[in-house]
Amino acid sequence: NTLYKAYLDDFAAFCNKLGGTTAEVMSDLLAFEADRRALNITLNSIGTELTRDDRKKLYSNFGLLYPHGHNELSIAEDFDQIRAAMEKVPAYANVFLKLGYGEAQMLDKLLYEEEVKRCCACFEQQFHYGVFYAYMKLREQEIRNIMWVSECVAQDQKARINDGIVFLF
């Protein structure tokens, strides 16, 4: 987690140094990635020995949640507090509106759908390097979709195939 935090921070700084459309597009994608990681770190550390300060050290130094949202996430003790912190950011309020209360297991799918939407939006602008990053992220989602379908077939759960698919286009 610490290594990935350093990677995200350095990659965001590099993209911002490039400037132009690349910086604009990549800052949006990387901010979403950093915020999703902060959310996952918080969710996975509830009920563990990870302290609030340790959580904050794992969060990236940028993103839409930085710094106020990170402070709220670091002190969150349950899903409702996490939800309250995330809903203060308009970009994530829409994601959590789709998520009913008590449906924390659907959060990953909704975040993947948001990521796909942002990656597809990258292709609407021209002359930037963000399309390569977005292409790779969309390929990762395609692989997750294939894995989901194969697991459903292997477990004879063909009726649940559409439950886990995130449509790319």
Side-chain angles (χ1 to χ4, degrees):
N1 280 333
T2 306
L3 181 62
Y4 200 81
K5 173 196 183 272
Y7 153 73
L8 271 180
D9 289 343
D10 288 345
F11 190 42
F14 171 74
C15 290
N16 286 331
K17 189 174 78 173
L18 290 175
T21 308
T22 299
E24 177 186 335
V25 169
M26 288 303 295
S27 65
D28 179 55
L29 291 175
L30 293 175
F32 178 77
E33 180 71 20
D35 292 343
R36 183 174 54 186
R37 285 190 44 78
L39 175 64
N40 285 334
I41 288 168
T42 305
L43 282 171
N44 293 332
S45 66
I46 292 176
T48 65
E49 65 275 354
L50 197 65
T51 66
R52 294 173 180 174
D53 290 333
D54 291 340
R55 273 189 205 172
K56 284 180 83 169
K57 289 178 187 174
L58 295 174
Y59 298 155
S60 294
N61 296 325
F62 66 98
L64 298 178
L65 293 172
Y66 180 77
H68 303 295
H70 287 176
N71 292 333
E72 290 185 38
L73 285 178
S74 69
I75 61 172
E77 295 296 329
D78 62 9
F79 186 74
D80 291 331
Q81 291 175 342
I82 293 171
R83 182 183 191 127
M86 295 295 288
E87 285 180 339
K88 290 180 181 174
V89 178
Y92 303 127
N94 293 332
V95 173
F96 279 87
L97 283 176
K98 295 176 190 174
L99 186 69
Y101 285 94
E103 293 182 343
Q105 66 274 10
M106 292 297 295
L107 181 60
D108 275 343
K109 182 180 179 187
L110 291 173
L111 290 173
Y112 284 135
E113 288 173 354
E114 180 68 21
E115 180 182 44
V116 164
K117 185 173 77 173
R118 289 171 185 246
C119 287
C120 288
C122 276
F123 292 95
E124 294 177 3
Q125 297 193 33
Q126 300 177 6
F127 307 115
H128 64 89
Y129 295 114
V131 294
F132 299 107
Y133 182 83
Y135 174 79
M136 293 307 297
K137 286 295 193 176
L138 290 171
R139 293 293 294 183
E140 287 175 7
Q141 183 57 51
E142 187 177 16
I143 292 168
R144 279 191 291 271
N145 286 345
I146 292 169
M147 292 297 295
W148 175 262
V149 170
S150 65
E151 287 294 322
C152 286
V153 169
Q155 296 174 13
D156 199 28
Q157 298 287 324
K158 294 176 186 169
R160 293 198 55 218
I161 286 177
N162 286 333
D163 295 346
I165 297 290
V166 175
F167 295 99
L168 300 182
F169 298 102

